[in-house]
Amino acid sequence: MIHSIFETRDAFVTGVKHHYQALGFATKILRSSIQKGKIWIVCDYGGVYHNSQGLMKESRKKETSSCLIDCPFRLTCNCIIVDGLHKWKIIFVLDEHNHEPSDNLIGHPSLCKLPDEEEEVVQTMAST
């Protein structure tokens, strides 16, 4: 397992992402609370499809599909104060997946998002 205390929130998120990416899993932030100083990380396949429109299969105009398979993986991190500095500590890990690691992570939505620095470069290029 990766070390459990991180200097910054970004270091925690990046460290977890890279660690599990190397193992063949993609992770995403489920929820984050600045007031509580807490972050919840889940597998990209965590959760279930919610039929928000309440449509039946027969009344749909298009076929639907979802990659969500209710993967139980969970990771929780709290902000703590150590020697007067804010640090981020992993407090809960359910390191179980109900699927095999991916050989190719290209199709995972959470890994398709550009980092903020690259997003700024794209925005700059688009405006010129």
Side-chain angles (χ1 to χ4, degrees):
M1 180 61 195
I2 56 178
H3 64 282
S4 62
I5 296 182
F6 296 85
E7 297 296 318
T8 64
R9 179 187 185 277
D10 289 339
F12 163 70
V13 173
T14 303
V16 166
K17 180 179 178 180
H18 291 315
H19 174 75
Y20 285 101
Q21 203 171 343
L23 297 175
F25 299 105
T27 58
K28 63 185 177 183
I29 297 174
L30 174 69
R31 188 170 43 246
S32 179
S33 173
I34 294 172
Q35 291 83 14
K36 293 181 181 179
K38 204 166 195 176
I39 302 171
W40 294 266
I41 304 280
V42 296
C43 178
D44 232 13
Y45 292 141
V48 293
Y49 173 72
H50 295 286
N51 184 359
S52 61
Q53 300 294 319
L55 298 174
M56 303 304 274
K57 189 172 183 172
E58 301 81 32
S59 62
R60 287 192 179 274
K61 292 183 180 179
K62 293 191 221 176
E63 285 288 320
T64 61
S65 64
S66 173
C67 66
L68 300 179
I69 57 173
D70 205 18
C71 181
F73 173 83
R74 298 280 185 272
L75 192 93
T76 306
C77 186
N78 274 4
C79 184
I80 60 172
I81 297 176
V82 178
D83 298 328
L85 300 171
H86 290 349
K87 309 249 181 184
W88 292 86
K89 180 177 182 182
I90 296 174
I91 58 163
F92 175 76
V93 177
L94 178 56
D95 202 7
E96 297 174 9
H97 293 269
N98 60 0
H99 57 92
E100 295 297 317
S102 298
D103 293 332
N104 187 351
L105 294 172
I106 291 174
H108 288 269
S110 65
L111 300 177
C112 295
K113 185 181 181 306
L114 290 175
D116 292 338
E117 305 84 41
E118 291 179 17
E119 183 70 37
E120 289 174 16
V121 171
V122 170
Q123 292 296 329
T124 304
M125 291 172 68
S127 65
T128 57

